[in-house]
């Protein structure tokens, strides 16, 4: 009887070992290739400048009072560690939405923009910006979300905060930038 028992256990072990298809848990990641994609998060610091293109037309903002409009497009310049130099002549923004709001008794213009940054390396990064401009004090606040890119920035995600933002005398914006980005590391 003992031999039969060990024989059955041996057959069971052989059957399990020779199976080609195993049942995967429901929450197991699905990999489409033999390579696993890894990510790495980086702390980013730098500066950003927004240069309006007055020839690009005007964008009508939502408002609580009389009509209000802003420049519809322009260029971006700057430098961010990890990302590098932003080429002003080839980096553009397009206004998606703006609204003149009254916050704590002061008019503030809230803006949403889509930005394509051309980097000195030849790669591109796509960003959605959410910026508020206090029209009384000239203070600028907000954040930017990375939504894609090319080359080593393919799959980039992350958020950068506007720090010490100001309206420049010629009408553009300037701010320091701090935040984190996550990059895909490809083997």
């Amino acid at each position: 009887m003992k031999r039969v028992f060990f024989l059955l256990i041996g057959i069971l072990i052989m059957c399990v070992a020779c199976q080609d298809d195993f049942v995967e848990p429901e929450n197991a990641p699905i990999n489409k290739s033999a390579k696993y994609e890894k990510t790495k998060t980086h702390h980013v610091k730098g500066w950003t400048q927004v240069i309006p293109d007055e020839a690009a037309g005007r964008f009508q903002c939502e408002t609580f009072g009389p009509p209000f409009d802003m420049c519809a497009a322009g260029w971006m310049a700057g430098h961010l560690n990890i990302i590098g130099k932003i080429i002003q002549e080839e980096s553009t923004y397009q206004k998606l939405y703006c609204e003149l709001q009254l916050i704590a008794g002061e008019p503030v213009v809230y803006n949403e923009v889509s930005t394509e940054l051309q980097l000195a390396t030849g790669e591109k990064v796509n960003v959605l910006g959410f910026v508020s401009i206090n029209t009384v004090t000239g203070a600028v606040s907000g954040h930017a979300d990375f939504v894609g890119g090319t080359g080593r920035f393919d799959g980039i995600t992350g958020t950068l905060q506007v720090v010490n933002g100001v309206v420049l005398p010629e009408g553009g914006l300037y701010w320091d930038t701090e935040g984190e980005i996550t990059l895909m590391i490809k083997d």
Side-chain angles (χ1 to χ4, degrees), residues 83 117-125 149-154:
I83 293 175
L117 304 177
Q118 177 67 52
L119 307 178
T121 61
E123 298 159 310
K124 294 183 180 187
V125 176
T150 63
R152 73 181 179 117
F153 299 107
D154 182 29

Side-chain angles (χ1 to χ4, degrees), residues 50-146:
V50 178
I51 304 103
D53 178 5
E54 295 300 332
R58 308 301 289 175
F59 191 94
Q60 190 67 38
C61 298
E62 300 289 326
T63 182
F64 57 85
F68 183 80
D69 62 31
M70 295 186 76
C71 189
W75 300 277
M76 303 292 292
H79 188 277
L80 303 168
N81 68 332
I82 308 299
I83 293 175
K85 181 180 179 184
I86 299 167
I87 307 299
Q88 175 183 327
E89 298 80 19
E90 299 175 39
S91 299
T92 59
Y93 75 87
Q94 289 287 124
K95 194 167 301 285
L96 302 174
Y97 178 80
C98 74
E99 180 178 358
L100 181 61
Q101 306 169 341
L102 197 58
I103 299 176
E106 296 182 334
V108 174
V109 179
Y110 169 75
N111 295 276
E112 294 179 7
V113 297
S114 175
T115 304
E116 182 176 82
L117 304 177
Q118 177 67 52
L119 307 178
T121 61
E123 298 159 310
K124 294 183 180 187
V125 176
N126 299 310
V127 182
L128 292 176
F130 307 90
V131 177
S132 294
I133 306 165
N134 185 312
T135 62
V136 175
T137 65
V140 178
S141 61
H143 71 279
D145 294 335
F146 288 90

